[in-house]
Amino acid sequence: MGSFIPGTEKEQKEMLAAIGAGSFDDLFTDVPEDVRLKNGLDLPEGLSELEVSRLVRSMAAENKVFDTIFRGAGAYWHYIPSIVREVTTNEKFVTAYTPYQPEISQGVLQSIFEYQTMICELTGMDVSNASVYDGATAAAEAAAMCADRKHTGYYVSATVDPKVIDVIRTYCYGSGTELVIIPEKDGLTDLEALKQTVPDHAAAVLFQQPNYYGLLEPAKELIEAIHEKDAKAVMSVNPTTLGYLETPGELGADIAVGEGQPLGIDMAWGGPYLGFMATGQKLERKLPGRIIGQTEDDQGRRAFVLTLQAREQHIRREKASSNICSNQALCALTAAVYLTAMGPEGLRDVALQCASKAHYFRDRLVEAGLTVKYDGEFFNEFVTVSEIGSEEILRALQENGILGGLPLGDREILWCATEMNTREDMDRAAAIVAGVTGKEVSAK
Amino acid sequence: MKLIFERGAEGRRLSLLPACDVPEYRPAGERKNAPRLPEVSETEISRHYSELEEQIFGINNGFLPLGSCTMKYNPKVNEQMASLPGFTDIHPLQPEETVQGCRKVIGKTKEWLCEITGMDAMTLQPSAGAHGEFTGLLTIKKYHEQRGDTARTKIIVPDSAHGTNPASAAMAGFTIVNVASTEEGLVDLQALREAVGPDTAGLMLTNPNTLGLFDHNIEEITSIVHEAGGLCYYDGANLNAVIGVVRPGDMGFDVVHLNLHKTFSTPHACGGPGAGPVGCKAFLEDCLPEHVRTYEGNFLVIVRALTYLLMLGGSGLTDVAHNAVLNANYLLSQIADCYEPSCEGAHYMHEFVITMEQMKKENGVTAMDIAKSLMDYGIHPPTMYFPLIVHEALMLEPTETEPKEMLDYVAASMRAIYQKALEDPDYVKSAPRTTRIGRPDEVRAARKPVVKYEFPED
């Protein structure tokens, strides 16, 4: 029933006549008779917009939207300023094609150029691409940038998000790259093990800051050790934390990658998200994906174009730095509008509120009877251990409309706090946890 | 216009967050310098992006006939459904019982796409067409490996293929064997027979191909590959031509990727996010990779595609193919006396390729010049210089969502440009004239790349 075809039956007939066809069937004479569908697709008839709207809304209604979330582990609950939604739902940004025609795409090109600049400022790097699919594919693509005739193998810290490692394993399987996991110690990358595991011919070592458990890795020492092995240091970062924390650039990393979802992008059950990648000038021509560059037009006016395309699949085919074509441009725009709305002070404020609230919440949960698993400095996520099973604690929270931390095992939970969590909500959550553990907590 | 970094003033900011309601905690390891993000008011942000929007050609600004890209209208109901809080505010790691609606979206979309492609299993994880290709090729790799058939290291790709095909095959660890096309633009069966062998892992094919031609030898092609022990991969870039008419599974393909941002009306969004689901026959289901990215893919894109599917229904999808092919052939018929099709007498499907080779020889006007001239008529240029096997190629795909008046206007515009090119080639060569900027210097951009804003203090 629903259709977006403007042509009326009368017009269709006229047009068929104009091309000398008697019917639609005449247009498909090259499709062998015996493979053609005889009775069309075995699918229901179409519906009106109102019917579809009811149907899809009913599916959305079957999901539970939590009022309060203490779960992160790679996707984060942050405030999205109104201006971000207003700009990024604009019909032109939503529907435009890849900016291959610069004369009529300056708006897209400039917005991505600005995004690239912001990613460089956040990470302390020289060059950023226009995005890849998500943080995990960014971490996976980084390996290919570092491999050469003398350097192979991707060495990944065990404290990297396991979901990211899964994706890296898939990419390494494809390219035939050896993947080695560097063990952890007390929740951190084991520096001694790194020195022993990573050979001199390694292409790259990846670690995550803050790591999967929320702990801050000794990044400087790790990068020094990696460089002593003549390998490239790839650092996966949470962009929110870079409003405050030392940058991969300052620390000497060769490539910075990460998941850009915290920058104003909906959690949306996992996507679309934003993989960002930035590096120094040395590896510029090995970056995968699109890059926007500044130039001038024939009148000497500032103009932006897709550049360094000799790296890309439509020019280099099987010798390209990656197969990526479609990326996550609208998510990159979202991140750019978010960072613009926040500004340097606003982003620093978000970062410090996240850290401050997580530390407050940690203390409340300890009072509620949970034990903190690792002693190390953390940012806005931490792991607790409990005598009571994780499921029991999380169920009690869920019954009160609260999404608790992510269970890492029967008795361990990875918690997260952001600027969205109020003191009141944290106190309330802690009281519910205390109710499960049987601890008395005094009101704060 | 100004860059966002050239606007605002130090200390300007928005009022977004309340003061922190817990004691401040500052972890060790503070960055030395603050990131130089813009310091602007909301007024300036809003105006900045309004100004940028004016310099964008969206799907509703006019005709956007990019061949192989299927720039069809993006229905508004898709956007509405994708913005429901019941989808946007769901954490990806929520307990299963709280995401049953998302599971339904995934389940239903897979069911429909399996029927459309004639496949038995589907993954919605891949985030783009190229990502789907990579996923499908890993499936093929795993299949041969599981059978101990480890000598199968080569993927056959026709010379008319999209660049992503060989690039994806290389990423999946295969070496690439290119097969030439016949003069008619189809797969050369003899060359294919010579190319296959015990080292063949598979063949990647787009059908209709990138010339817009349906390869009528398709059953023979897929059986040549199967008989040699290889698998057949269908690049769904051009599915819009045959959706609801013929299914890749019935043509002999084992693995398929689709582009939800082409055939299924989800927006191109300045280059992404799209989605590239991969389907396969039952015997390959166990070989699908589990983790090509995190979570279930570009979920909100999938919501949009499902909305579109539910609206069109089975017969509505067949109407799409019918009208897509009709529109392309009608447009070609209206310009054929001026522009030379790449293949004489061929039956084009949903797109067609014209060549400006003759024109270039005679008066120096190139495909690029024609493309840029179209901008002055409010028309987005078609795909240029692709496929690589056609010299001075322009590839036009009008899609089914264009009304006849628009096709007539485009034809009239193209004829006018053709006349101008004969009379005054220099005029056409210096197009466009009405755009905010003229042709940019791309060589300069690549020679000394400036890929971020140069702050005055640097």
Side-chain angles (χ1 to χ4, degrees):
Chain A
M1 182 183 169
S3 168
F4 299 97
I5 298 166
T8 62
E9 219 169 293
K10 182 167 164 278
E11 286 173 318
Q12 291 173 6
K13 274 190 189 142
E14 282 168 19
M15 288 162 74
L16 282 168
I19 59 172
S23 70
F24 281 117
D25 273 353
D26 291 350
L27 303 177
F28 295 88
T29 48
D30 281 339
V31 182
E33 198 65 49
D34 58 319
V35 295
R36 269 196 242 179
L37 285 165
K38 302 290 172 293
N39 304 306
L41 294 164
D42 184 17
L43 292 172
E45 279 306 301
L47 302 169
S48 66
E49 184 176 316
L50 175 58
E51 289 167 300
V52 171
S53 171
R54 279 185 189 135
L55 226 119
V56 179
R57 275 171 207 277
S58 75
M59 291 187 218
E62 283 183 62
N63 295 325
K64 164 88 183 152
V65 178
F66 285 95
D67 307 328
T68 300
I69 296 175
F70 292 108
R71 193 167 289 193
Y76 298 92
W77 188 42
H78 284 295
Y79 183 66
I80 303 178
S82 310
I83 185 78
V84 175
R85 274 197 212 291
E86 288 298 316
V87 169
T88 56
T89 50
N90 173 275
E91 183 177 89
K92 289 191 174 187
F93 281 120
V94 170
T95 66
Y97 186 65
T98 307
Y100 285 126
Q101 297 290 346
E103 296 86 349
I104 49 173
S105 309
Q106 286 300 301
V108 177
L109 290 160
Q110 182 175 327
S111 75
I112 302 174
F113 183 82
E114 291 173 353
Y115 160 82
Q116 289 174 182
T117 307
M118 291 180 206
I119 292 296
C120 288
E121 283 297 313
L122 269 191
T123 57
M125 290 287 176
D126 300 321
V127 47
S128 154
N129 69 9
S131 74
V132 295
Y133 313 129
D134 68 355
T137 60
E141 292 262 15
M145 289 174 62
C146 304
D148 59 32
R149 263 174 299 172
K150 289 185 185 154
H151 300 85
T152 60
Y154 203 18
Y155 293 75
V156 176
S157 166
T159 66
V160 169
D161 183 341
K163 300 184 294 295
V164 172
I165 296 178
D166 284 341
V167 174
I168 292 173
R169 187 168 285 118
T170 304
Y171 273 67
C172 285
Y173 169 66
S175 58
T177 303
E178 189 186 11
L179 169 64
V180 180
I181 306 297
I182 302 165
E184 62 181 77
K185 195 180 169 198
D186 302 327
L188 294 170
T189 307
D190 185 340
L191 185 60
E192 286 314 306
L194 184 152
K195 289 176 182 168
Q196 284 163 21
T197 321
V198 179
D200 292 334
H201 62 263
V205 179
L206 169 72
F207 70 95
Q208 181 179 321
Q209 181 78 321
N211 73 19
Y212 184 59
Y213 309 118
L215 298 174
L216 291 172
E217 294 276 353
K220 211 169 177 72
E221 282 90 332
L222 290 177
I223 291 169
E224 274 168 17
I226 295 163
H227 284 163
E228 264 168 41
K229 298 285 184 174
D230 194 29
K232 299 281 191 288
V234 184
M235 192 168 162
S236 173
V237 283
N238 175 336
T240 304
T241 68
L242 295 179
Y244 172 81
L245 283 182
E246 278 174 303
T247 67
E250 286 173 335
L251 293 160
D254 300 284
I255 301 172
V257 296
E259 175 51 68
Q261 180 273 333
L263 303 177
I265 297 168
D266 285 315
M267 294 181 291
W269 204 49
Y273 283 1
L274 166 69
F276 63 84
M277 297 185 82
T279 187
Q281 259 152 13
K282 254 191 261 171
L283 291 173
E284 177 176 70
R285 282 167 204 266
K286 290 196 151 191
L287 258 184
R290 296 170 186 145
I291 298 175
I292 312 302
Q294 183 179 313
T295 184
E296 286 178 0
D297 78 349
D298 47 10
Q299 311 278 315
R301 291 171 290 203
R302 180 162 67 188
F304 300 96
V305 293
L306 288 162
T307 194
L308 300 172
Q309 295 188 71
R311 303 163 295 113
E312 291 188 74
Q313 47 78 27
H314 59 282
I315 311 280
R316 290 290 296 281
R317 297 175 81 83
E318 62 262 37
K319 294 189 179 68
S321 58
S322 167
N323 69 337
I324 190 167
C325 182
S326 284
N327 57 13
Q328 306 284 111
L330 195 63
C331 301
L333 173 75
T334 308
V337 185
Y338 175 86
L339 289 169
T340 301
M342 285 299 162
E345 280 182 50
L347 191 68
R348 181 186 157 91
D349 188 23
V350 173
L352 284 178
Q353 288 211 21
C354 288
S356 303
K357 292 189 183 223
H359 284 79
Y360 177 85
F361 192 40
R362 187 260 325 253
D363 293 346
R364 296 293 80 73
L365 289 177
V366 168
E367 284 170 9
L370 306 186
T371 311
V372 172
K373 186 172 181 195
Y374 304 111
D375 292 333
E377 175 98 276
F378 66 96
F379 200 84
N380 70 324
E381 290 182 273
F382 55 92
V383 179
T384 60
V385 184
S386 56
E387 283 170 28
I388 304 268
S390 306
E391 285 309 321
E392 207 172 320
I393 295 168
L394 295 171
R395 201 179 322 118
L397 289 167
Q398 194 175 321
E399 280 162 10
N400 286 278
I402 298 170
L403 180 63
L406 184 74
L408 292 188
D410 290 348
R411 308 200 177 269
E412 292 181 12
I413 299 177
L414 173 62
W415 301 89
C416 172
T418 70
E419 81 281 8
M420 298 296 277
N421 301 112
T422 62
R423 180 178 194 142
E424 202 185 332
D425 284 342
M426 291 189 280
D427 290 346
R428 191 165 71 93
I432 294 165
V433 173
V436 179
T437 61
K439 267 264 187 171
E440 287 287 317
V441 274
S442 51
K444 286 281 146 186
Chain B
M1 69 176 275
K2 280 186 177 175
L3 287 168
I4 192 73
F5 307 100
E6 295 162 341
R7 299 182 191 272
E10 204 179 319
R12 236 176 241 173
R13 58 181 297 187
L14 280 63
S15 314
L16 297 169
L17 301 182
C20 194
D21 56 3
V22 300
E24 185 174 85
Y25 182 85
R26 294 189 183 197
E30 186 172 355
R31 61 185 292 164
K32 285 170 199 75
N33 302 304
R36 288 172 294 182
L37 298 172
E39 294 183 81
V40 288
S41 60
E42 190 169 314
T43 317
E44 290 163 292
I45 302 176
S46 198
R47 287 198 182 134
H48 179 73
Y49 284 102
S50 291
E51 204 176 328
L52 288 178
E53 282 154 19
E54 284 169 25
Q55 300 173 58
I56 298 178
F57 194 103
I59 201 111
N60 295 336
N61 289 102
F63 193 60
L64 227 161
L66 282 158
S68 266
C69 302
T70 314
M71 295 297 288
K72 62 172 71 179
Y73 175 70
N74 306 144
K76 297 300 174 195
V77 62
N78 295 356
E79 301 307 308
Q80 293 271 312
M81 295 301 105
S83 64
L84 294 172
F87 293 135
T88 58
D89 296 353
I90 305 300
H91 192 283
L93 300 172
Q94 282 188 200
E96 270 305 307
E97 72 272 18
T98 67
V99 297
Q100 288 305 297
C102 294
R103 288 278 173 223
K104 269 195 188 162
V105 169
I106 296 287
K108 204 154 220 26
T109 307
K110 283 184 180 177
E111 199 182 299
W112 281 60
L113 296 181
C114 278
E115 168 62 16
I116 287 165
T117 53
M119 294 289 141
D120 303 307
M122 185 77 55
T123 168
L124 304 184
Q125 230 183 29
S127 303
H131 203 209
E133 292 172 18
F134 179 59
T135 305
L137 288 161
L138 291 183
T139 309
I140 293 174
K141 181 172 177 158
K142 188 66 139 203
Y143 169 76
H144 293 308
E145 212 175 83
Q146 277 186 358
R147 292 160 44 94
D149 207 352
T150 50
R152 298 196 176 272
T153 55
K154 291 184 177 163
I155 289 287
I156 299 170
V157 176
D159 56 3
S160 61
H162 299 115
T164 50
N165 287 180
S168 300
M171 269 178 80
F174 292 108
T175 49
I176 287 83
V177 180
N178 281 293
V179 283
S181 305
T182 61
E183 260 176 47
E184 295 80 44
L186 304 178
V187 172
D188 185 330
L189 294 177
Q190 194 48 40
L192 180 62
R193 280 198 193 92
E194 283 160 19
V196 297
D199 58 358
T200 301
L203 164 80
M204 294 182 88
L205 201 67
T206 315
N207 196 23
N209 64 22
T210 57
L211 290 158
L213 308 174
F214 191 93
D215 203 317
H216 57 83
N217 297 316
I218 188 61
E219 291 165 287
E220 196 169 347
I221 292 168
T222 52
S223 54
I224 289 171
V225 176
H226 284 152
E227 275 161 28
L231 297 179
C232 296
Y233 181 97
Y234 184 85
D235 176 335
N238 291 342
L239 185 74
N240 212 50
V242 292
I243 187 167
V245 173
V246 61
R247 311 189 303 172
D250 299 335
M251 295 186 237
F253 289 95
D254 308 292
V255 191
V256 177
H257 92 258
L258 302 172
N259 297 77
L260 298 188
H261 49 290
K262 295 182 180 178
T263 321
F264 300 95
S265 84
T266 75
H268 273 67
C270 304
V278 169
C280 65
K281 294 282 194 183
F283 73 96
L284 288 170
E285 188 170 358
D286 295 342
C287 302
L288 281 172
E290 276 178 75
H291 306 287
V292 293
R293 59 158 286 175
T294 44
Y295 316 115
E296 295 289 329
N298 283 338
F299 178 66
L300 295 180
V301 176
I302 296 162
V303 171
R304 289 177 173 91
L306 177 62
T307 303
Y308 177 75
L309 287 171
L310 292 171
M311 280 206 65
L312 264 62
S315 60
L317 291 168
T318 307
D319 293 341
V320 164
H322 284 173
N323 286 279
V325 176
L326 176 61
N327 277 0
N329 281 280
Y330 177 77
L331 179 58
L332 176 60
S333 74
Q334 302 302 301
I335 59 169
D337 56 336
C338 299
Y339 293 91
E340 186 189 344
S342 59
C343 306
E344 205 55 56
H347 293 139
Y348 286 101
M349 300 293 285
H350 67 308
E351 64 189 10
F352 60 88
V353 179
I354 52 179
T355 168
M356 302 310 299
E357 200 177 8
Q358 193 68 19
M359 172 81 85
K360 187 184 175 188
K361 260 185 220 154
E362 282 166 15
N363 64 355
V365 171
T366 63
M368 170 85 83
D369 299 328
I370 301 291
K372 300 294 180 194
S373 298
L374 282 166
M375 293 177 186
D376 290 332
Y377 288 82
I379 296 168
H380 193 288
T383 300
M384 316 183 296
Y385 298 97
F386 186 81
L388 305 176
I389 54 174
V390 177
H391 296 293
E392 296 296 321
L394 289 175
M395 181 201 256
L396 287 91
E397 179 183 3
T399 84
E400 75 283 3
T401 58
E402 291 301 334
K404 179 171 175 291
E405 304 89 281
M406 178 57 93
L407 302 175
D408 289 334
Y409 169 73
V410 174
S413 306
M414 288 186 72
R415 297 165 69 90
I417 293 168
Y418 181 81
Q419 282 308 322
K420 195 76 188 168
L422 294 181
E423 290 157 15
D424 187 358
D426 287 342
Y427 186 87
V428 175
K429 291 190 76 59
S430 53
R433 292 184 162 66
T434 57
T435 49
R436 186 75 74 100
I437 62 157
R439 295 191 198 185
D441 187 346
E442 301 197 14
V443 176
R444 171 191 165 133
R447 198 183 303 130
K448 269 196 84 187
V450 178
V451 295
K452 60 174 181 157
Y453 176 61
E454 292 171 316
F455 290 90
E457 64 267 27
D458 285 348

